[in-house]
Amino acid sequence: MVKERTVPSFQVDSVVITREEGLMLYEDMVLGRLFEDKCAEMYYRGKMFGFVHLYNGQEAVSTGVIRSMRRDQDFVCSTYRDHVHALSAGVTAREVMAELFGKATGCSKGRGGSMHMFSSQHNLLGGFAFVAEGIPVATGAAFQSKYRREVMGDESSDTVTACFFGDGACNNGQFYECLNMATLWKLPILFVVENNKWAIGMAHERATSDPEIYKKGPAFGMPGYEVDGMDVLAVREVAQKAIARARAGEGPTLIEALTYRFRGHSLADPDELRDRDEKEFWFARDPINKFFAYLTEHNLADSDELKAIDKKVQDLINDAVEFAQTSPEPDPSELYRYIYADD
């Protein structure tokens, strides 16, 4: 058996969740998983180009955090592994798929592709190709929320920002600088580390002097939480506490979600560096299978209902592919359009 970090025990029986909430969380995770599976199929069929980084295995983090926020009001800042964050934030499967196909109907008008999802409508601040690049952007978004409320007198400005990044970003200077500023200014932000153990091909334990990232939170004067990133209810509980704290003006929180990507770093990665035993250990903790079992065991849904959701989502994704394939290419005459915010 592979030796893994022990995550805090989570008392699932203490969770109070309605049937509607449970089905929403399940559908959101399934949407992320099946969408990424379809992306892999389309990539290998030559419908997508460049680097495509999939999110399979990490769905409980996106769903647990983003679906605990106010959709279209709070802000989400992503990474280059951004498709599922966009879907959880409310960007339609059609818009995300069309963007991956480089079509004019994509959420970034076909200009961004896989690593640069953006939607002003849904307050998705972008995917970013460079490691840790989104952290200062998210910090700025949190600053404007606080500034609007405290300086401009906008009492309705109680929005919260969720900033996602991987373990590889946590040795980057922007991470430390932004933790410092966020605490100094008590910014309403969640710093969410999706620790999937690997920064491209470098094992996290080999790259950092202290692999327990959540401990860096208290070092900068903010709470730091370690959570099982393969359990959507565990992530949701921590996220709700951090969101309430941020909205109340009490400042930032650092959340380290211990998770795992089921595919290679990108679809161009042959994934030969990770040990087979390690993969099997994490595959057995699939967050969707785990939540499927929870919903049925607690009589919140039966297997037929959940399988019907699977089919509904698959039909939605098939429709998104059809939409992307039949959408127009960006017009070459508009090469310089959408460079500035006033367009």
Side-chain angles (χ1 to χ4, degrees):
M1 178 62 68
V2 178
K3 184 178 180 181
E4 299 287 346
R5 270 173 67 181
T6 302
V7 297
S9 60
F10 179 68
Q11 301 301 319
V12 71
D13 292 333
S14 68
V15 173
V16 177
I17 187 173
T18 67
R19 166 183 161 83
E20 290 71 25
E21 289 172 327
L23 294 179
M24 177 273 290
L25 295 171
Y26 179 79
E27 183 171 336
D28 198 69
M29 286 199 292
V30 169
L31 174 60
R33 175 68 58 85
L34 297 184
F35 187 93
E36 297 293 67
D37 287 345
K38 181 60 72 172
C39 285
E41 177 189 337
M42 292 295 105
Y43 180 87
Y44 290 127
R45 288 175 57 185
K47 302 295 184 180
M48 298 175 189
F49 304 96
F51 288 103
V52 177
H53 307 81
L54 300 187
Y55 199 75
N56 298 58
Q58 300 180 207
E59 297 86 359
V61 185
S62 180
T63 297
V65 174
I66 298 175
R67 296 314 300 267
S68 297
M69 304 174 76
R70 296 176 184 168
R71 182 175 271 187
D72 299 340
Q73 296 181 38
D74 291 329
F75 295 89
V76 174
C77 197
S78 187
T79 66
Y80 49 72
R81 205 178 300 279
D82 58 353
H83 315 159
V84 178
H85 293 152
L87 293 169
S88 290
V91 184
T92 67
R94 280 185 164 195
E95 289 178 285
V96 178
M97 191 66 75
E99 188 59 39
L100 286 159
F101 276 58
K103 297 300 184 72
T105 53
C107 58
S108 299
K109 310 300 184 185
R111 271 76 167 171
S114 175
M115 293 187 280
H116 299 285
M117 299 290 163
F118 174 83
S119 175
S120 58
Q121 175 187 352
H122 300 291
N123 284 350
L124 177 68
L125 300 176
F128 297 89
F130 289 101
V131 173
E133 186 181 10
I135 300 177
V137 173
T139 304
F143 178 82
Q144 67 83 31
S145 296
K146 184 180 178 72
Y147 188 89
R148 287 176 186 273
R149 185 179 183 88
E150 298 186 1
V151 178
M152 301 179 69
D154 182 358
E155 292 298 323
S156 67
S157 182
D158 64 346
T159 51
V160 172
T161 298
C163 178
F164 293 88
F165 47 96
D167 47 281
C170 296
N171 292 322
N172 188 298
Q174 295 177 95
F175 170 66
Y176 297 102
E177 292 175 32
C178 290
L179 289 186
N180 184 55
M181 287 186 286
T183 299
L184 281 173
W185 297 332
K186 298 184 73 172
L187 300 184
I189 185 169
L190 282 63
F191 294 104
V192 185
V193 187
E194 300 192 75
N195 184 354
N196 61 24
K197 294 178 60 67
W198 291 85
I200 307 181
M202 171 60 73
H204 173 62
E205 288 78 6
R206 294 182 59 197
T208 186
S209 57
D210 185 351
E212 295 178 300
I213 301 167
Y214 73 99
K215 293 180 177 178
K216 296 177 172 64
F220 283 90
M222 71 179 72
Y225 293 101
E226 179 187 40
V227 65
D228 184 354
M230 307 300 273
D231 186 333
V232 68
L233 295 178
V235 175
R236 177 175 175 266
E237 181 177 81
V238 169
Q240 287 178 334
K241 291 178 182 177
I243 292 165
R245 181 173 184 274
R247 218 178 293 285
E250 297 173 7
T253 301
L254 176 64
I255 300 171
E256 181 186 5
L258 299 178
T259 185
Y260 200 73
R261 53 174 166 80
F262 289 172
R263 293 180 179 269
H265 173 68
S266 75
L267 288 175
D269 175 12
D271 196 19
E272 298 173 341
L273 296 173
R274 301 187 299 174
D275 185 79
R276 186 177 70 177
D277 290 342
E278 176 187 289
K279 294 179 188 178
E280 291 178 353
F281 173 87
W282 287 92
F283 290 164
R285 303 179 66 202
D286 188 306
I288 296 177
N289 293 343
K290 185 173 186 175
F291 195 54
F292 186 107
Y294 171 86
L295 292 173
T296 54
E297 290 168 5
H298 288 76
N299 299 314
L300 292 172
D302 60 42
S303 59
D304 288 340
E305 288 178 289
L306 298 179
K307 290 175 182 176
I309 289 176
D310 295 349
K311 183 181 185 306
K312 169 188 167 185
V313 170
Q314 190 64 66
D315 290 343
L316 178 73
I317 293 168
N318 292 340
D319 169 75
V321 171
E322 176 66 21
F323 175 78
Q325 288 179 322
T326 57
S327 289
E329 301 279 348
D331 192 318
S333 67
E334 295 187 337
L335 178 63
Y336 298 107
R337 193 177 176 191
Y338 303 118
I339 294 175
Y340 298 104
D342 58 359
D343 189 341

